[in-house]
């Protein structure tokens, strides 16, 4: 994939002139000729890493201030650099910054522009650092920002699910195993199952953030530096907990990106399952939920259609997100320490996976807010498939002290009888039930309807409406105070 087209530049660095102008103004000292066109094309990353400009500028400002504080730069130079960098950021914000492929990457584009704006002091900014610790720092800052975005997006989705759960704490629906009707559950309980999953996803992102939050800046190229820098100062200025303890490690690992991509992948898996359920529930065959025009599309040929495109796309995003994780695993595997250019391949896949994750999270929050369960359809479906058979078996154990295995057998015979007669369990006449188990009385019918079935599931974590209402309220309260880990 060539991502250089949008820079609008394919310009080559000028050849060495007779007057000794270097082949590349940033590193051309020992080079006599410009890179081959194809070399420049494979090497350049500015087409995509320009996204890191805000982090690059923040890192450079912190570095310049630290250099002045440590007596390595004059205060005047540092001030010139910091305000020059602000001017560069302003140009980027205004869309007037001219990113040039010949300058390879975001780091050299920013520095080169700084030089044009402030002159000589710009050349002192790169003291005691390298692009290796620079890019590691920028990317950590970037991934950290994205993690914070996922945290907020997950909270929003969890809140939408919890509100839906609270509204439908007592709405019965079929619970499935093997996609076969199993036992009745409540719609709220089903929503809260996803809240739990997304809460763990949020925890995974938070865990990744905590491990990520150490600063590589000052590792320099790989060995540290002979300048008396203060790495604690730059780490603190950039909101890191501490500097990374080993300079080789600082420039050469991307585990923080891998971990975040793994968290994205698991989140995307969860999203895909919910999306799949929405797709199924929306079919006329199920008819469990309704979705408004806001999250569905029509067909250009079939006027009756209402398609769940947003759900389908959210379901599909896991493909590229999981591939990004795998892609970076393969890039990093077997790389010797410390930095290798291979690592430049970390960014495009990660950007794509992060964008896809936020898009799918936001779309899912919108869909969850939008969807409305259809209680009559859900209740009717909940009663089909002999879904209260387990309730009957439990009743036989409880009331007749039958061993569960025997109760299972008796219930099986009742199901067979109902199936043959084409009846739901609660419609089988008592006399017929008594031909199988003479000790049964009218009381048995209290456990055969779906409402009493769900009401009876009061065990901790069970589907009883009172449990669901309580849990939904708890989540809504927790999600209102973002400081508390979800
Ligand atoms: N664009 C490079 C990357 O993304 C920046 C670091 C370049 N370092 C170097 N020694 N060439 O990894």
């Amino acid at each position: 994939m060539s991502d250089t087209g949008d820079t609008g530049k394919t310009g080559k660095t000028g050849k060495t002139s007779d007057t000794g102008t270097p082949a590349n103004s940033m590193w051309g000292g020992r080079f006599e000729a410009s890179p081959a066109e194809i070399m420049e094309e494979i090497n350049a990353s500015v087409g995509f890493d320009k996204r890191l400009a805000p982090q690059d500028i923040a890192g450079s400002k912190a570095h310049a201030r630290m250099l002045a504080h440590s007596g390595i730069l004059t205060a005047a130079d540092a001030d010139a650099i910091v305000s020059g960098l602000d001017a560069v950021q302003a140009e980027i914000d205004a869309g007037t910054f001219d990113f040039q492929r010949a300058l390879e990457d975001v780091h050299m584009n920013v520095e080169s522009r700084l030089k044009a704006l402030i002159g000589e002091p710009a050349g002192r900014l790169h003291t005691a650092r390298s692009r290796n610790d620079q890019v590691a720092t920028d990317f950590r800052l970037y991934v950290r920002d994205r993690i914070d975005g996922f945290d907020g997006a997950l909270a929003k989705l969890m809140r939408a699910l919890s509100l839906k759960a609270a509204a439908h704490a007592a709405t019965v629906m079929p619970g499935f195993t093997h996609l076969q009707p199993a036992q009745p559950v409540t719609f709220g309980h089903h929503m809260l199952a996803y809240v739990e999953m997304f809460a763990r996803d949020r925890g995974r992102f938070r865990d990744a953030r905590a491990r990520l939050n150490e600063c590589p800046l000052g590792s320099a190229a790989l060995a540290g530096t002979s300048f008396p820098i203060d790495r604690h100062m730059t780490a603190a200025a950039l909101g890191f907990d501490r500097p990374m303890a080993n300079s080789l490690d600082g420039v050469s690992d991307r585990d923080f990106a891998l971990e975040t991509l793994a968290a994205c992948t698991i989140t995307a898996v969860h999203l895909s399952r919910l999306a799949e359920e929405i797709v199924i529930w929306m079919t006329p065959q199920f008819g469990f939920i309704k979705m408004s025009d806001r999250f569905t599309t029509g067909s250009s040929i079939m006027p009756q259609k209402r398609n769940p495109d947003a759900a389908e796309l959210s379901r599909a995003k896991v493909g590229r997100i999981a591939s990004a994780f795998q892609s970076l695993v393969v890039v990093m595997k077997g790389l010797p320490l410390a930095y290798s250019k291979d690592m430049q391949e970390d960014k495009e896949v990660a950007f794509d996976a992060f964008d896809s994750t936020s898009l799918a999270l936001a779309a899912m929050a919108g869909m969850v807010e939008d969807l409305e369960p259809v209680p009559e359809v859900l209740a009717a479906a909940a009663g089909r498939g002999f879904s209260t058979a387990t309730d009957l078996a439990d009743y036989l154990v409880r009331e007749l002290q039958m061993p569960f295995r025997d109760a299972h057998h008796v219930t099986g015979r009742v199901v067979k009888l109902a199936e043959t007669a084409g009846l739901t369990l609660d419609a089988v006449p008592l006399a017929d039930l008594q031909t199988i188990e003479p000790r049964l009385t009218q009381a048995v019918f209290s456990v055969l309807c779906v409402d009493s079935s769900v009401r009876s599931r009061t065990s901790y974590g069970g589907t009883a409406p009172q449990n669901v209402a309580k849990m939904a309220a708890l989540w809504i309260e927790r999600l209102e105070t973002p400081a508390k880990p979800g």
Side-chain angles (χ1 to χ4, degrees), residues 43-46 48-49 52 104-107 130-136 254 339-347:
N43 202 34
S45 54
V46 68
F48 49 89
D49 70 13
L52 300 179
E104 206 177 310
D105 55 25
V106 64
H107 321 293
S130 146
R131 276 187 294 156
N132 296 349
D133 58 337
Q134 201 178 342
V135 74
R254 295 293 181 266
Y339 177 83
S340 295
K341 196 64 172 258
D342 305 52
M343 284 180 221
Q344 181 165 289
E345 292 289 314
D346 58 0
K347 285 178 256 323

Side-chain angles (χ1 to χ4, degrees), residues 172-175 182-186 382-383 387-388 391 449-450 453-454 457 463:
V172 287
M173 69 176 283
Q183 294 173 355
V185 295
T186 68
S387 64
T388 53
D391 297 274
C449 80
V450 290
S453 169
V454 295
R457 300 278 195 270
T463 199

